[in-house]
Amino acid sequence: MKRPHPHSKLLCRFGLWVVGAFIVSGCGSDKPDTIPVTGEVLYNSQPVEGASVVFVSEGPPATGTTDAQGKFTLRTFTDDDGAIAGAHRVTITKNVSEPSTPENPYPISKNMLPAKYARPESSQLTAEVGKGNENMFQFQLSD
């Protein structure tokens, strides 16, 4: 019978440690840092529930959905992690699907907010996210 090498257990443990450290480190993740961001959306001075808020920048976008009070928290990679630092153009939409009917079995989605807020080029909404800033933004939408 072949006897194991005297250091085989040590080498096996070291190998498992190296693999575990590599996995825990996130394999050298190159994701940019994010900063927590919250805010509020009002349309004609009323909170907007169910609106999609998107912060668009040179990096990955950050998104959030408003609650019944019009409040939102952004996420980029994980829940509530915020947005990357820097200047952002902001879009806000609230899409509602019309119920299907026998004549039209495919629901049609309709934006309940003015169309200009749906595109970064036309919304005129901006936000500057920065470390040390409050990073709480209020967006007052109107017709």
Side-chain angles (χ1 to χ4, degrees):
M1 174 158 59
K2 188 174 180 183
R3 295 176 56 115
H5 189 277
H7 299 297
S8 63
K9 281 188 177 180
L10 180 63
L11 289 172
C12 183
R13 286 184 184 154
F14 179 73
L16 288 174
W17 180 84
V18 169
V19 169
F22 185 71
I23 291 170
V24 169
S25 72
C27 306
S29 173
D30 59 351
K31 293 188 299 189
D33 291 337
T34 56
I35 299 168
V37 174
T38 60
E40 179 180 34
V41 176
L42 302 171
Y43 177 49
N44 293 329
S45 301
Q46 297 299 312
V48 179
E49 181 178 9
S52 296
V53 180
V54 181
F55 278 39
V56 180
S57 69
E58 296 297 319
T63 61
T65 302
T66 58
D67 63 15
Q69 290 77 41
K71 309 276 186 192
F72 66 88
T73 301
L74 293 183
R75 78 177 309 265
T76 299
F77 303 107
T78 61
D79 286 345
D80 303 337
D81 65 346
I84 60 172
H88 297 263
R89 293 178 294 165
V90 179
T91 64
I92 303 174
T93 57
K94 180 179 177 174
N95 291 316
V96 176
S97 293
E98 295 178 1
S100 60
T101 63
E103 298 81 32
N104 186 12
Y106 304 104
I108 297 172
S109 182
K110 181 179 179 185
N111 184 5
M112 304 306 288
L113 299 172
K116 67 181 176 182
Y117 297 115
R119 299 177 45 88
E121 300 81 22
S122 60
S123 78
Q124 298 182 348
L125 302 174
T126 61
E128 184 70 36
V129 175
K131 289 184 180 181
N133 295 353
E134 183 180 0
N135 297 308
M136 191 293 188
F137 302 94
Q138 185 181 70
F139 299 104
Q140 296 268 358
L141 311 182
S142 61
D143 293 320

